[in-house]
Amino acid sequence: MDLDDFQIEQNLVDSLRKNSPEAFESLFDRYSQRLYHFAFSFLKSGSESEEIVQDVFLKIWENRVSLKSDKSFKSYLFTIAFNAIKKHFNKKMKEDKYKHDLIEWLGQEHPGVESKIEFEKLVEKLDSLIDQFPERRKIIFLKRKKEGRSIDEIATELNISPKTVKNQITEGMKSLKKSFEDDNLSALLFYFLFIS
């Protein structure tokens, strides 16, 4: 970056610190495409890369007052993006871990499950059933069962009582159990994921 570019960037950051939407838009225009390509090089997904860009610029806007105009805005931006990408990967790994664990467990303990496709259909069924929950129940259930969050963490984050969280999880479990009770293998799936 030459001196003129650095000066322009400094001025934009100074204006952004004073709540200028125009400066924010200029910085977005200046860096959003480069940031998108950077995220895409890791994620290989257009929608996920766009999400990272939005998250990064949202964070920039929220923390605009504490930005430092004497430091490289570009370096700061790409550091936030890289951290967001790492966080995205960690979240994805947590969400998918139960599926990988289950494939391994079924392969070792239940040789009758010969097909990964058969297993994936069961997981699809599970995801579909959870997707049909009322919105709040679905959010609570996924935070608890897929992300492994504690009841207290969920209650604090959603600003509801721990009792409400427990009730929603119990109702979700009842609903899934009812849907799965006719299929022995699906019952094993259910047991592994949500009871053991």
Side-chain angles (χ1 to χ4, degrees), residues 133-141 158-160 164 168:
F133 284 179
E135 191 60 26
R136 184 161 76 159
R137 182 174 302 157
K138 181 168 76 171
I139 291 167
I140 290 169
F141 201 85
L158 299 179
N159 200 21
I160 54 178
T164 302
Q168 290 294 327

Side-chain angles (χ1 to χ4, degrees), residues 150-184:
S150 74
I151 285 169
D152 287 339
E153 281 176 330
I154 297 167
T156 302
E157 186 180 333
L158 299 179
N159 200 21
I160 54 178
S161 72
K163 186 178 177 184
T164 302
V165 174
K166 285 180 192 171
N167 289 344
Q168 290 294 327
I169 291 167
T170 302
E171 288 305 310
M173 294 281 279
K174 278 185 197 168
S175 168
L176 287 177
K177 194 170 181 183
K178 186 165 183 267
S179 301
F180 274 83
E181 64 191 3
D182 295 331
D183 185 334
N184 288 336

Side-chain angles (χ1 to χ4, degrees), residues 114-167:
E114 293 165 3
S115 166
K116 186 179 174 188
I117 293 168
E118 182 185 343
F119 161 76
E120 285 172 348
K121 281 182 183 169
L122 291 174
V123 173
E124 248 177 61
K125 178 181 173 183
L126 179 69
D127 285 342
S128 169
L129 290 167
I130 293 170
D131 206 43
Q132 292 169 33
F133 284 179
E135 191 60 26
R136 184 161 76 159
R137 182 174 302 157
K138 181 168 76 171
I139 291 167
I140 290 169
F141 201 85
L142 290 175
K143 283 183 184 299
R144 178 69 176 146
K145 298 299 180 183
K146 282 194 179 182
E147 295 176 26
R149 308 280 289 281
S150 74
I151 285 169
D152 287 339
E153 281 176 330
I154 297 167
T156 302
E157 186 180 333
L158 299 179
N159 200 21
I160 54 178
S161 72
K163 186 178 177 184
T164 302
V165 174
K166 285 180 192 171
N167 289 344

Side-chain angles (χ1 to χ4, degrees), residues 80-96:
I80 294 173
F82 188 66
N83 289 334
I85 290 163
K86 285 197 296 186
K87 191 175 174 185
H88 178 84
F89 274 125
N90 288 339
K91 183 182 174 194
K92 201 168 173 58
M93 282 171 62
K94 275 184 187 175
E95 287 174 351
D96 290 345

